Amino acid sequence: MALNERDTRDPRLERLYREAASEAPPAHLDAAILAAARRDVGARPRSLSTALRRWQVPVSIAAVVVVGVSLVTLMMEEGVDRLGEIGIPPVTAPADKPVSELKQAPPAAAATGAAQQQVESQARAEQEASRDDSKRAVDLGKMEATSPRTGDSAANSGMGAAAPSPAAEPFPKPLAAPPLLAQERAATAPTDTVTASRPEAASPAPGERRSTAPATDVPQPKIMARAMVAKPAASDRQPVWQGLEKEPPEKWVVRIEELIREGRTAEAEEMRAEFKRRFPDHSLGRAAK
Amino acid sequence: MESTTARHLPGGWQGAYCQPAMTWSAESSDEELMLHYRDGDAAAFDVLYARHRGGVYRYLLRQCREAAVAEELFQDVWMKLIRARAGYTVQARFATYLYRLAHNRWIDHFRRHRPGTVVSLDEEEGEAPFDPPDERERPQDEALDTRRQAARLMELVAELPVAQREAFLLQQEGGMSVEEVAQATGVTRETAKSRLRYAMSKLRKGMLEWR
């Protein structure tokens, strides 16, 4: 190693060379290069990554704040608009509202009132409908229970609904009425009444209407309620055997058979019971049974 | 003569793991200064330039032998360094990197201005015809002044073959070891060592009369 070092190095020569070599670049060249170096640094002040690193956190925080405030503002505005659409006043009303704005408020308040009325009337109609159904069920039971004396108005009017007579025992109890009630309801659909009383004959079902109808369509629930009320009560219905009271039992049998053929089994059953009550000595034919 | 750069990183060469310190001083290594300059500290470049300006300039001046050309090449080398600062990473000693730039720039110039010349540095490995000093011109006075010795040495350096001269200049101006000379000139270690040995041998023989 020392030999190699001696071959490639000579301290005396090197010292002599250093003393002799003293040339240097001219000053203008130094100035130009140093200026270029500064210019390059100035044109690109630090590397991009350094600058980004320095501003990363503040810019991120600022961006989050801006986006958050924008979203909250937007959501608040849209929420107020939606409440206005369905007629519910915004939750927070400014306490120091000017008088002029307060004067402009009534239409909105009226709309709100109308909507509330609509909701209330709908609820009322539903309550009435359910109450009506139960009432009709009771009435039907009552009618069936009192039917033997149909036509005998004095006896019919004197009957108490809650106290079935011993004569009613062979007949179905009021609780057994719902099948008949369902049939009745299907036969006398409330929509028919509604469409008959309203100009929009082809209007959809009430449930659909509620979702699509404008908020100002207030009368609709009332009509519905009226329609529910206007359903023919069981007591108002004509008996199946109307017109046969004076006829012989053979005609009754023929009528019962017709009803069975038409599939009106409930009415046929009802008539059969009346037949047995009126003509206990007559037996029904096989077809009528 | 300004000191030229025989600096080594403390604790051994760290290669690509070298990171710039938070601050730098005049005693900081070349690599640290260059990293600071890369990160936008122009003052670090001032120190770096002051360390290497003379060595690079003399290297180019001795190679092309014309001051005007040397100045042009010198400026080109530093401008290239400035332009490449953003992508600088510590792969080797800074001096090696800088003189590699100078070597490439000089080779480009050499090939452009002497198109017929084949720069085969290997062909100069053999003993060049050594012209010993003329005994008749040899001064009779044994106590020659250092100035004349230095002038004679410069003549001998200029007479060296290109490759040997370059190896010698890189060793002296860049403060490079044999390995670093090989790295800067793109040759094997043995080739660089051989060039240095021939160069030294010729210079010693040329300066024999002054010993």
Side-chain angles (χ1 to χ4, degrees):
Chain A
M1 185 72 184
L3 268 175
N4 289 339
E5 189 78 10
R6 210 178 306 148
D7 286 345
T8 58
R9 302 210 80 109
D10 190 324
R12 187 171 169 272
L13 276 179
E14 289 176 15
R15 181 165 41 81
L16 193 61
Y17 176 80
R18 277 192 223 104
E19 286 171 2
S22 58
E23 300 93 337
H28 71 85
L29 212 53
D30 291 344
I33 290 167
L34 291 175
R38 288 205 177 85
R39 201 165 44 243
D40 190 74
V41 170
R44 287 176 286 176
R46 294 189 167 273
S47 62
L48 188 63
S49 59
T50 310
L52 280 178
R53 240 179 283 134
R54 181 184 293 177
W55 290 100
Q56 198 172 19
V57 173
V59 166
S60 303
I61 291 171
V64 167
V65 167
V66 166
V67 169
V69 168
S70 303
L71 275 175
V72 167
T73 308
L74 198 66
M75 287 175 72
M76 284 175 69
E77 285 175 0
E78 284 192 353
V80 169
D81 289 348
R82 267 189 213 148
L83 287 175
E85 275 177 15
I86 63 169
I88 299 172
V91 179
T92 54
D96 51 348
K97 210 174 185 178
V99 180
S100 60
E101 286 182 28
L102 288 174
K103 280 179 181 173
Q104 290 173 355
T112 308
Q116 283 176 344
Q117 277 182 356
Q118 178 188 356
V119 171
E120 285 173 7
S121 63
Q122 281 178 358
R124 219 177 297 133
E126 286 172 4
Q127 281 181 351
E128 280 178 10
S130 61
R131 211 182 303 142
D132 194 38
D133 281 348
S134 57
K135 190 179 174 185
R136 284 175 62 211
V138 171
D139 286 347
L140 273 175
K142 205 191 294 174
M143 184 194 71
E144 286 176 2
T146 57
S147 57
R149 280 180 287 273
T150 307
D152 189 359
S153 59
N156 205 10
S157 62
M159 283 296 287
S165 66
E169 280 180 359
F171 296 97
K173 291 185 177 176
L175 287 175
L180 178 63
L181 180 68
Q183 268 190 342
E184 250 185 353
R185 203 180 283 177
T188 59
T191 48
D192 293 346
T193 317
V194 173
T195 50
S197 62
R198 287 174 63 89
E200 306 93 47
S203 59
E208 293 172 359
R209 172 183 290 278
R210 204 180 305 163
S211 63
T212 56
T216 54
D217 192 8
V218 180
Q220 182 204 349
K222 289 181 180 172
I223 291 170
M224 279 180 57
R226 232 179 287 139
M228 299 289 281
V229 172
K231 277 185 190 173
S235 56
D236 298 339
R237 192 167 55 89
Q238 295 295 330
V240 186
W241 55 86
Q242 191 173 20
L244 294 176
E245 289 91 349
K246 305 281 172 52
E247 297 296 327
E250 289 76 18
K251 294 242 173 143
W252 280 71
V253 171
V254 169
R255 179 64 180 147
I256 289 168
E257 287 174 356
E258 282 175 2
L259 286 173
I260 289 170
R261 273 199 301 273
E262 290 170 6
R264 297 160 69 181
T265 51
E267 289 170 334
E269 185 66 28
E270 193 178 344
M271 196 168 169
R272 199 185 300 135
E274 182 66 16
F275 176 84
K276 280 182 180 176
R277 197 180 64 79
R278 283 176 184 257
F279 311 106
D281 299 335
H282 282 77
S283 63
L284 283 167
R286 189 177 294 173
K289 281 180 182 174
Chain B
M1 180 175 171
E2 59 194 289
S3 68
T4 49
T5 68
R7 290 172 179 277
H8 294 278
L9 290 178
W13 175 245
Q14 298 300 315
Y17 298 102
C18 183
Q19 294 293 323
M22 292 300 289
T23 56
W24 57 271
S25 65
E27 286 75 35
S28 296
S29 68
D30 293 343
E31 294 76 23
E32 286 175 351
L33 292 172
M34 186 59 198
L35 289 172
H36 278 287
Y37 175 61
R38 180 197 66 184
D39 291 341
D41 192 343
F45 180 84
D46 292 353
V47 177
L48 204 57
Y49 179 75
R51 283 182 188 172
H52 292 279
R53 60 189 278 276
V56 174
Y57 178 74
R58 285 188 292 274
Y59 165 79
L60 293 169
L61 184 64
R62 303 261 184 273
Q63 287 290 73
C64 63
R65 303 179 190 185
E66 292 178 42
V69 175
E71 287 174 16
E72 181 190 337
L73 299 183
F74 177 79
Q75 190 167 3
D76 288 349
V77 169
W78 285 102
M79 293 308 294
K80 187 162 187 175
L81 178 72
I82 290 167
R83 282 194 295 271
R85 82 174 172 96
Y88 176 78
T89 53
V90 182
Q91 304 274 329
R93 207 158 69 90
F94 174 76
T96 310
Y97 171 68
L98 179 63
Y99 280 91
R100 177 82 183 177
L101 293 178
H103 166 80
N104 290 339
R105 184 66 190 93
W106 174 75
I107 291 289
D108 287 345
H109 171 83
F110 189 84
R111 286 176 178 158
R112 198 174 300 145
H113 290 84
R114 299 181 189 181
T117 309
V118 177
V119 186
S120 176
L121 301 176
D122 289 335
E123 71 183 14
E124 296 169 307
E125 292 296 325
E127 275 301 329
F130 181 67
D131 187 15
D134 191 350
E135 292 294 326
R136 291 169 297 183
E137 295 175 4
R138 187 176 177 178
Q140 298 299 314
D141 189 358
E142 292 292 325
L144 287 175
D145 61 334
T146 308
R147 192 175 176 179
R148 293 186 70 180
Q149 284 187 44
R152 178 58 189 159
L153 180 62
M154 291 303 158
E155 285 175 14
L156 293 173
V157 168
E159 287 168 3
L160 287 172
V162 174
Q164 293 172 19
R165 185 170 65 238
E166 182 177 46
F168 174 79
L169 290 172
L170 288 173
Q171 186 191 50
Q172 299 303 313
E173 300 290 355
M176 295 184 186
S177 63
V178 174
E179 290 78 8
E180 288 167 344
V181 170
Q183 199 176 349
T185 54
V187 296
T188 62
R189 182 183 181 280
E190 291 307 314
T191 303
K193 186 179 172 185
S194 175
R195 287 173 181 173
L196 274 172
R197 287 174 62 185
Y198 279 119
M200 280 297 175
S201 172
K202 286 172 189 172
L203 293 177
R204 279 194 202 106
K205 282 181 184 171
M207 298 298 292
L208 199 58
E209 57 191 298
W210 308 109
R211 297 202 178 210

